[in-house]
Amino acid sequence: MKPRILIVYTGGTIGMIEDPETKALKPFDFTHLMENVPKVKMLDYEIDNIQFNPPIDSSDMDVAHWQLIARSIADNYQNYDGFVVLHGTDTMAYTASALSFMLGNLSKPVIITGSQLPIGEVRTDGEENLITALQIAADQDSNGVPTVREVAILFENYLWRGNRSTKRSADNFNAFKSNNYPELAKIGLGISFNYDALAKTYHSQPITPHYELDSRVMSIDLFPGLNESILRYQLNTPGIRGIVLRTFGAGNGPTEDWFIDAIRDAVARGVVILNVTQCVNGGVHASRYMGGDYLLSAGVVSGYDLTFEAAITKMMYLFGLGLDTGEVRRRLAIPICGEMSITNQRRM
Ligand code: ASP
């Protein structure tokens, strides 16, 4: 039996063409994309597709688009061995994180890819990325068990766990990285899977998608010189339910009373605040320094080594489940699908 793969084409540079007047890149249709990758036929797979109409630059991605992608996968889950989502790179890590939470019980590959150069250009990285993504989506062991059973990003030389990934370069072909989790596969002459890092669970139960996301969330970045009234204004944003607080180092903020009081007041009003670090590598160890410890005692939840992309989408997902504030806080601190590692490092 030939592998059956469903491609969900959302847009992104991979399928873009140059506007003849402005010379700016704009999304174009899937037929054009496939015409430029005749090699796909050499794979001898059965490939179907669902396209966004119109395809979009991923900077336009929003919750409704995530619902569309999740629905395309969930509605067709039983009919395909794997799924490839073609997506712009700008918000790919957010989509990968959101889908990882939305697609409950996932036990098949959902491989997201795109490119830095459009597929029609001579030096495009799109052809290689698309073909490798299809091969990974089709890969199974001799018992028919898919190798990848999670949402992952394939880009140039690596396959990364989706909810651990971050776009790290606007220019390089190796545009993504997971700073706190090893690669799921290295791509060279062959595809070398890192079986220790891949999600282990396997079952043949139906997928349990969850489509509702609550977008009444935002982020606040700490920086030296942060103004008290501006911070209070942000914390008082009407309707806000959750805030990802991007802190210094191991999860630290100022120790001054005005700062901790402002945070404590927001928590008392029922705003859920999640602490993630601004560092690209490592995570929050809230009680290592006073600044982190104060945040902890003010009721801020530790996000350990969550990426910002996973933190914001995990909040949207948990609020979208209709949970109360206490339950959202409790579940934020527990991994759902491999998005964070809980470590309690002691100083030695
Ligand atoms: N602006 C494009 C997008 O995210 C960039 C890309 O695809 O690489 O859709």
Side-chain angles (χ1 to χ4, degrees):
M1 283 247 292
K2 290 183 185 183
R4 299 205 62 195
I5 308 294
L6 180 67
I7 297 179
V8 182
Y9 173 56
T10 71
T13 297
I14 191 163
M16 288 189 186
I17 56 165
E18 209 175 83
D19 184 297
E21 275 164 35
T22 65
K23 303 286 176 218
L25 289 172
K26 59 174 193 194
F28 206 62
D29 71 20
F30 186 69
T31 321
H32 152 85
L33 193 154
M34 291 312 266
E35 277 169 6
N36 277 281
V37 209
K39 275 190 201 155
V40 165
K41 293 198 185 75
M42 291 166 71
L43 290 174
D44 200 23
Y45 298 166
E46 276 185 36
I47 299 175
D48 294 322
N49 68 81
I50 291 177
Q51 321 180 24
F52 270 24
N53 187 15
I56 59 166
D57 186 298
S58 78
S59 303
D60 279 322
M61 194 57 62
D62 65 19
V63 168
H65 295 118
W66 288 340
Q67 290 166 335
L68 215 62
I69 303 171
R71 238 177 246 291
S72 305
I73 293 168
D75 290 352
N76 293 289
Y77 191 70
Q78 295 304 341
N79 303 329
Y80 293 91
D81 299 308
F83 303 85
V84 170
V85 179
L86 298 180
H87 194 290
T89 57
D90 290 347
T91 61
M92 189 182 284
Y94 292 88
T95 297
S97 300
L99 289 179
S100 76
F101 301 122
M102 295 168 87
L103 298 174
N105 242 1
L106 183 70
S107 209
K108 288 186 180 182
V110 173
I111 312 299
I112 311 182
T113 196
S115 67
Q116 294 279 51
L117 284 177
I119 206 113
E121 292 199 9
V122 196
R123 293 182 56 253
T124 186
D125 50 330
E127 179 174 74
E128 211 174 286
N129 285 347
L130 173 57
I131 288 176
T132 311
L134 288 165
Q135 288 181 313
I136 292 173
D139 200 74
Q140 299 185 340
D141 72 9
S142 52
N143 297 316
V145 176
T147 308
V148 178
R149 305 186 288 275
E150 58 184 300
V151 179
I153 288 183
L154 176 278
F155 223 85
E156 191 72 1
N157 297 117
Y158 297 95
L159 182 74
W160 304 108
R161 172 163 293 167
N163 56 29
R164 294 284 196 150
S165 307
T166 298
K167 182 172 179 181
R168 67 158 170 188
S169 174
D171 302 321
N172 291 339
F173 284 154
N174 264 315
F176 286 85
K177 180 135 192 336
S178 164
N179 292 299
N180 283 322
Y181 197 75
E183 70 277 353
L184 302 183
K186 270 194 188 139
I187 323 300
L189 289 181
I191 299 171
S192 155
F193 288 104
N194 180 1
Y195 292 96
D196 288 340
L198 284 160
K200 306 274 182 303
T201 31
Y202 176 64
H203 56 76
S204 50
Q205 291 149 26
I207 193 168
T208 50
H210 180 82
Y211 300 115
E212 285 319 309
L213 297 179
D214 190 332
S215 59
R216 287 172 290 175
V217 296
M218 62 183 267
S219 66
I220 296 180
D221 264 75
L222 297 187
F223 53 90
L226 180 66
N227 177 288
E228 178 178 357
S229 55
I230 288 178
L231 175 70
R232 282 208 176 261
Y233 189 83
Q234 288 178 302
L235 292 168
N236 273 298
T237 301
I240 197 71
R241 301 199 72 196
I243 296 175
V244 177
L245 187 66
R246 301 189 68 234
T247 57
F248 306 126
N252 304 311
T255 54
E256 287 173 67
D257 288 347
W258 67 263
F259 176 75
I260 297 300
D261 288 347
I263 297 286
R264 191 176 286 116
D265 291 350
V267 172
R269 285 195 307 273
V271 179
V272 175
I273 305 184
L274 178 62
N275 186 351
V276 300
T277 176
Q278 291 172 8
C279 294
V280 289
N281 173 246
V284 170
H285 304 286
S287 18
R288 190 182 289 172
Y289 295 92
M290 266 163 61
D293 210 32
Y294 283 9
L295 285 175
L296 202 61
S297 51
V300 172
V301 181
S302 171
Y304 298 95
D305 60 352
L306 277 176
T307 60
F308 174 69
E309 295 89 332
I312 201 93
T313 53
K314 187 173 179 178
M315 268 197 167
M316 289 186 192
Y317 165 75
L318 290 176
F319 281 118
L321 289 177
L323 305 172
D324 64 32
T325 301
E327 191 57 16
V328 170
R329 288 166 51 92
R330 196 183 71 76
R331 293 209 205 173
L332 274 174
I334 304 170
I336 296 174
C337 46
E339 75 279 12
M340 68 184 191
S341 322
I342 296 184
T343 45
N344 286 311
Q345 285 182 7
R346 274 193 309 123
R347 240 187 10 258
M348 303 293 271

